Amino acid sequence: MRSGQPFEEWRREAIRKLEGRWLGRTQGELWDELPPAEKAKRQPPTDSERNQVIKESRLTTIFTTNMLSAYQAGRYQQLQESVEEYPYWRYKSMGDSHVRPAHRALNGKVFRADDPFWASHYPP
């Protein structure tokens, strides 16, 4: 995000780095190779997941998730720097058909910036 690298450039680089080590392998293969300490921290793949191959299309999800997380981290920092001017924050959902009912119910609610609510409801 910081360097402005386009998705296609990132994708080519990611495929080169991950092919054979992660990309194109099954979830079961990757799970079987994890050290016991790592396995203890995670849920094992289900029987149906064990045979799923990690495809190139998964890179789009990884890229998008990481870009949005980086954006939200920067936005959170900006909000923290202006909390004296804006001590109240408003929760806003996307408002589309994908919003879960619990999040739809929170849409428009206002909480203080230091309210514990934001620890679990601020975007990742």
Side-chain angles (χ1 to χ4, degrees), residues 17-84:
K17 288 179 180 176
L18 299 174
E19 216 161 28
R21 289 158 66 204
W22 179 76
L23 197 62
R25 306 204 41 221
T26 67
Q27 291 191 43
E29 289 171 328
L30 294 174
W31 173 263
D32 293 341
E33 293 173 6
L34 284 176
E38 276 300 308
K39 285 182 179 179
K41 297 178 196 172
R42 303 179 187 192
Q43 289 289 327
T46 64
D47 288 341
S48 62
E49 290 170 338
R50 280 194 67 78
N51 295 321
Q52 288 179 350
V53 175
I54 299 171
K55 298 178 183 170
E56 188 180 321
S57 60
R58 178 89 172 101
L59 294 177
T60 302
T61 301
I62 292 167
F63 181 84
T64 303
T65 300
N66 284 297
M67 288 297 287
L68 291 172
S69 293
Y71 174 82
Q72 290 300 344
R75 184 72 182 120
Y76 185 78
Q77 185 176 352
Q78 288 176 331
L79 288 168
Q80 287 295 330
E81 290 168 1
S82 61
V83 76
E84 294 212 9

Side-chain angles (χ1 to χ4, degrees), residues 76 79-80 83 86-89 111-116 118:
Y76 185 78
L79 288 168
Q80 287 295 330
V83 76
Y86 303 102
Y88 292 92
W89 298 349
F111 301 89
R112 284 189 54 84
D114 60 357
D115 192 292
W118 296 113

